[in-house]
Amino acid sequence: MPVRKAIVSAAIGLHARPAAVFVRAVTDTGLPVTIRKDGIDAVDARSLLEVMTADFNCGCEVELGITESALPAGRSITDAEAALTGLAELLESQASRESQATA
C-alpha cells in the first residue's frame, strides 16, 4: 500500500476551505485515497464530511494511503505514489496559500 505522511499546515486544520481544497485535489486524482492520524481510523479523503469531522488540526501528522487492491483499472502503483506525494505537498503548503489569499 503506497503511503505518505504529511503535517497539516492550514491554521484551522482541515476544516472549511482547506478541507474543500484538499478533497477537491483528492477527487481530481481519481484514486481512492484515505487519510488518518494516530487514534482514529482512516476515512475516505474524497468525502468532505468525513475529512471535516475527523478533526485533522493544524500541526497534526496525517497518513495518506491507497490500498493496492482498490486501484482503478489502468492505474499503477507509480500513479498512486505520485498522487500521494502531490497531496502531501498540498497539505504542507496550505499555510502559505492561506496567507496569499488574505493578502
Side-chain angles (χ1 to χ4, degrees):
M1 175 167 111
V3 172
R4 293 289 182 278
K5 292 192 178 192
I7 304 296
V8 175
S9 65
I12 61 170
L14 286 182
H15 298 285
R17 186 174 183 280
V21 169
F22 174 70
V23 168
R24 191 173 315 115
V26 171
T27 303
D28 288 347
T29 70
L31 297 169
V33 178
T34 60
I35 182 170
R36 66 173 298 278
K37 70 177 184 176
D38 284 343
I40 67 160
D41 292 332
V43 299
D44 185 347
R46 298 169 294 184
S47 168
L48 182 58
L49 183 60
E50 287 187 38
V51 170
M52 288 180 61
T53 58
D55 198 28
F56 298 114
N57 295 318
C58 180
C60 77
E61 182 179 62
V62 296
E63 182 178 277
L64 305 170
I66 301 172
T67 304
E68 288 180 48
S69 62
L71 282 175
R75 302 299 296 267
S76 68
I77 295 297
T78 304
D79 295 335
E81 290 172 344
L84 291 178
T85 298
L87 293 169
E89 290 171 357
L90 173 65
L91 287 176
E92 293 187 342
S93 70
Q94 281 187 324
S96 63
R97 290 173 192 258
E98 286 177 348
S99 63
Q100 291 170 358
T102 59

